[in-house]
Amino acid sequence: MRFTCRANKKTNITTMKKIILIAASLFLSVFAATAQDLGQATEVAKSANDALMLGDNESALNGFKEALELAEACGDEGANLVETCKGVIPRILLSMGKDQVKLKNFDAAIAKINEAIEAATNYANDDVLEKAQALLPGVKMNQANDLLTKKDFAGAVKVLNDILAGDPENGNAALRLGMALASTGDVEGAKDAYETALANGQEKNAAKQLSTLYLKDAQAFIKAKNFKAAAEAAEKSNSYVESANAYKLAAAAATQLKDNEAIVANYEKYLELAPNAKDANGVIYTLAVIQQQSGNKAKAIELYQKIVTDPQYGEGAKAQIQALNK
């Protein structure tokens, strides 16, 4: 009985030794495999770095991505290489985006910069994330300007709306959106865009554009014989930037509406802004007649005196002066 126990005890010890040897063998195998994989990852990363030094960003990017995958499989042993790859990959993507900007391949540039933003976010690379996010709006603006130059107004509208979706107070983008919309025939949309630009640092440029659009409205309303709307549009034009043309149109509309007060007010502003206009003496004659009809003899005579030497209106002016002085 004692012999049996000793035999069993010896058998158990032998079995335990075999298990320990097997475990040690497995550990060494895993360690060797890990070391081999890490060595492979390191070599891939070195090759990727060589490509990067030669300016081959595409090969470098693919190489560091492969090295990252291999290093991650190595667990803690590959942690340092993982961090290195995560630091490099977003930078390469951003550099590739910048290269596309130089070539004016804006769609490709924006795609790469967005990839850089995604990678930088995933890898907690705050430096690249900040730079990529700061770069993107400017690239989109360059793309919009390029489309405007090429007269692809619909394309420019799409890009500029995208910019404003992310930055509603971008006055420069709003100004260009107004130009693009006006060129597509969307005048009301253009006005809204210019109003946004006006409120966000583009006062002078936006006011000029708005004044021009409302002046065109006034011209169209005069042609359509909608004189009330013409007068309102001309007034609106002048509220942004005063112009002799807008005052002249307002006076023309007021003439049709038989509003002498408005005629006088608008023609006086017209002469103030365009004293040497070809039709200035004709306008003065009209003002003199209105003053005469209103019973303001002194003002009428004063106006007639200004044009007594005019070949077309001089004789009539002299006759009226004589009549008023009787």
Side-chain angles (χ1 to χ4, degrees), residues 251-263:
T255 299
Q256 296 298 324
L257 296 170
K258 302 186 185 308
D259 184 347
N260 283 348
E261 184 177 346
I263 295 171

Side-chain angles (χ1 to χ4, degrees), residues 5-311:
C5 289
R6 284 174 183 167
N8 288 340
K9 187 174 182 181
K10 190 179 288 186
T11 301
N12 289 338
I13 291 170
T14 302
T15 302
M16 287 299 295
K17 285 181 177 179
K18 286 181 179 179
I19 291 171
I20 291 169
L21 287 171
I22 291 169
S25 177
L26 288 171
F27 174 78
L28 289 171
S29 297
V30 170
F31 180 79
T34 300
Q36 183 178 359
D37 289 345
L38 183 57
Q40 183 184 356
T42 303
E43 287 302 315
V44 172
K46 285 180 179 178
S47 296
N49 189 65
D50 290 342
L52 185 62
M53 293 299 100
L54 293 172
D56 185 356
N57 285 334
E58 190 69 40
S59 296
L61 178 64
N62 292 331
F64 279 114
K65 283 182 176 180
E66 183 183 351
L68 174 62
E69 187 176 345
L70 290 169
E72 285 177 329
C74 296
D76 292 341
E77 298 296 325
N80 289 336
L81 183 55
V82 166
E83 288 304 308
T84 298
C85 292
K86 286 183 176 181
V88 174
I89 288 171
R91 293 183 187 280
I92 296 174
L93 287 166
L94 182 57
S95 179
M96 292 172 77
K98 290 178 179 179
D99 287 342
Q100 293 300 317
V101 172
K102 292 175 184 177
L103 297 171
K104 294 190 175 182
N105 294 331
F106 295 110
D107 286 334
I110 290 168
K112 280 296 177 214
I113 294 169
N114 279 325
E115 283 185 52
I117 289 172
E118 182 179 3
T121 301
N122 292 338
Y123 301 156
N125 191 325
D126 293 337
D127 180 52
V128 173
L129 180 61
E130 183 179 344
K131 288 177 180 177
Q133 288 177 332
L135 178 65
L136 192 57
V139 175
K140 289 181 179 180
M141 184 62 76
N142 286 340
Q143 182 182 31
N145 289 335
D146 186 59
L147 290 167
L148 286 170
T149 300
K150 293 175 179 176
K151 300 189 184 302
D152 182 356
F153 301 115
V157 167
K158 183 178 179 181
V159 174
L160 290 163
N161 273 325
D162 183 46
I163 294 171
L164 287 164
D167 183 10
E169 296 181 354
N170 190 323
N172 193 26
L175 182 70
R176 280 159 175 71
L177 178 60
M179 294 175 182
L181 287 169
S183 295
T184 66
D186 185 358
V187 176
E188 294 308 310
K191 288 176 182 175
D192 289 340
Y194 285 138
E195 289 289 356
T196 299
L198 188 73
N200 290 284
Q202 293 291 330
E203 294 88 350
K204 184 177 180 179
N205 291 328
K208 182 178 179 180
Q209 295 295 335
L210 283 163
S211 180
T212 298
L213 287 181
Y214 281 105
L215 180 64
K216 289 180 178 178
D217 285 347
Q219 292 168 335
F221 285 131
I222 287 286
K223 188 174 182 179
K225 300 187 185 305
N226 186 346
F227 302 114
K228 182 178 179 181
E232 291 172 352
E235 182 179 359
K236 190 75 173 177
S237 176
N238 282 321
S239 71
Y240 292 105
V241 178
E242 288 184 311
S243 71
N245 284 339
Y247 281 115
K248 185 176 180 179
L249 286 170
T255 299
Q256 296 298 324
L257 296 170
K258 302 186 185 308
D259 184 347
N260 283 348
E261 184 177 346
I263 295 171
V264 171
N266 284 295
Y267 269 146
E268 285 180 344
K269 287 296 294 184
Y270 172 68
L271 291 172
E272 180 183 323
L273 293 175
N276 299 316
K278 290 181 179 180
D279 62 346
N281 286 347
V283 169
I284 292 172
Y285 189 86
T286 298
L287 290 173
V289 170
I290 291 173
Q291 295 294 346
Q292 185 175 357
Q293 291 172 346
S294 301
N296 192 343
K297 292 173 61 175
K299 185 63 177 177
I301 291 171
E302 177 188 336
L303 289 167
Y304 283 131
Q305 288 286 3
K306 291 182 178 181
I307 55 174
V308 290
T309 60
D310 183 83

